[in-house]
Amino acid sequence: MPERVLAAGVDLGGTKIYSLVADADGNVLADDRRPTQAAEGVNAVIDRIVASVRQALDEANVDTGEIVGLGISTPGPCDPQRGVVTEAPNLGWSDVPLVDLVSKKLGVPALLENDAAAAAYGEMKFGAGRGKRHILYITLGTGIGGGIIIDGQIYRGASGAAGEVGHLVLEPDGVACNCGARGCLEALASGPAIAREAAAAVTAGRSDLMAKLAAGKELTAELVLEAAQQGDPAAKDVIERAGRYLGLGLVGLLNVFNPEALILGGGLIGLGDLYLGPAFEAARECGFEQVLADVTMTTAKLGGRSGALGAAALMIDRSTT
Ligand SMILES: [Zn+2]
């Protein structure tokens, strides 16, 4: 039997570091999870990444010499060519040469990739996009990001900043977005957008139930879902509206990219049909017939592992081609 090819993958997030050791078929041998503690600075986070990968390797009984390298999924814009995290607001990083730093400490080759792109790659290799080569992956959570795969390759744009699907402007006079524009998809359909609209409904006296559920704590998209499931019309309305906005964004993306698979991932897919139903419906109503005939619209299959698995797969594919 030929020796199997192994790699490590890390998903570096604003709050947690998730590491795993995987083979070329996407089997996970072991994994490790620990807090990022980004406030302690770049070096402390690098040390934690290295410790986390070593822990996963130890558990898998694999020596660093037995892996082809480490793939790192990083939040926000990055430059995979140079291996630099150009900007990661939730880590407080800019222009950090992450690949060099981690590679030196761990003693193996490394690469990095934007988290949504890495997740898209993971879903293509082992998840909902298996067997497909034209894929749009959209992550829905605190922010809305995208990974674009064209003919089996990640599309990164001129400098690695492609895929910012959350900043498609849908309402030119809409609410302000974190990016400085108004009415972006992210400002209308993300978790914080749902929470904001729900809070407005509470303030306007339109939902006693949400007021009760949120008493003494932060009103989140999860609480809005809880209220909607208990029959609260205002909560239901807020989620459905966000879903329709998502659908408008999807229509534009589908018509532009004509993908074989549209995969939705991230925490907000937990809102289920109430959110995804209106989104898919809007996409089906407005998309071009041929574009709709070509695409499978679905949710992600790898859950929280997609970024780390995708990064590991990128490392394996780079080492074997
Ligand atoms: Zn924006």
Side-chain angles (χ1 to χ4, degrees):
M1 211 170 86
E3 207 173 311
R4 58 184 177 163
V5 185
L6 300 174
V10 169
D11 189 351
L12 172 60
T15 55
K16 68 168 178 56
I17 293 166
Y18 174 67
S19 305
L20 53 74
V21 182
D23 67 14
D25 296 321
N27 299 306
V28 175
L29 281 64
D31 59 4
D32 177 78
R33 210 176 258 104
R34 58 186 73 201
T36 308
Q37 293 172 296
E40 289 179 15
V42 174
N43 288 329
V45 173
I46 303 279
D47 285 344
R48 258 193 294 282
I49 292 172
V50 171
S52 175
V53 173
R54 285 199 197 284
Q55 177 63 33
L57 286 166
D58 276 355
E59 255 175 62
N61 241 326
V62 170
D63 192 76
T64 45
E66 297 173 69
I67 57 171
V68 293
L70 168 70
I72 310 169
S73 154
T74 65
C78 61
D79 182 344
Q81 290 282 355
R82 293 188 300 134
V84 171
V85 177
T86 34
E87 193 130 18
N90 53 2
L91 293 171
W93 290 10
S94 69
D95 284 322
V96 173
L98 183 62
V99 162
D100 271 358
L101 294 170
V102 172
S103 179
K104 259 183 212 137
K105 288 212 166 168
L106 204 58
V108 298
L111 60 75
L112 61 73
E113 190 56 69
N114 163 269
D115 51 4
Y121 202 80
E123 290 289 338
M124 174 178 74
K125 298 289 288 190
F126 315 120
R130 223 175 173 145
K132 310 228 158 90
R133 298 183 61 80
H134 303 285
I135 294 172
L136 273 180
Y137 171 88
I138 298 177
T139 171
L140 303 156
T142 307
I144 294 182
I148 302 163
I149 294 187
I150 298 175
D151 205 15
Q153 302 293 320
I154 291 173
Y155 177 75
R156 303 185 176 94
S159 66
E164 291 293 341
V165 300
H167 303 283
L168 287 168
V169 175
L170 302 178
E171 295 272 16
D173 301 315
V175 289
C177 180
N178 288 332
C179 74
R182 287 191 166 273
C184 292
L185 174 60
E186 183 170 298
L188 296 165
S190 63
I194 290 170
R196 182 196 64 230
E197 291 303 307
V202 169
T203 306
R206 284 191 279 119
S207 171
D208 291 342
L209 181 57
M210 281 198 286
K212 204 176 95 192
L213 287 173
K217 52 186 165 182
E218 199 189 341
L219 186 55
T220 60
E222 289 73 30
L223 277 186
V224 182
L225 176 66
E226 199 182 323
Q229 283 167 338
Q230 290 181 35
D232 186 82
K236 214 167 150 253
D237 188 55
V238 164
I239 296 176
E240 284 173 348
R241 253 175 84 82
R244 280 197 296 276
Y245 276 121
L246 173 60
L248 290 180
L250 297 184
V251 170
L253 292 167
L254 290 175
N255 287 342
V256 169
F257 288 101
N258 183 205
E260 294 169 285
L262 168 76
I263 304 169
L264 303 183
L268 282 193
I269 62 172
L271 296 177
D273 280 349
L274 209 50
Y275 178 61
L276 302 178
F280 289 146
E281 199 177 309
R284 282 193 198 98
E285 265 170 27
C286 311
F288 285 141
E289 210 174 308
Q290 184 59 48
V291 166
L292 292 173
D294 290 336
V295 74
T296 305
M297 296 194 273
T298 176
T299 50
K301 295 243 182 320
L302 303 177
R305 280 180 165 176
S306 56
L309 264 178
L314 275 163
M315 191 71 234
I316 288 174
D317 288 349
R318 184 201 270 185
S319 74
T320 51
T321 50

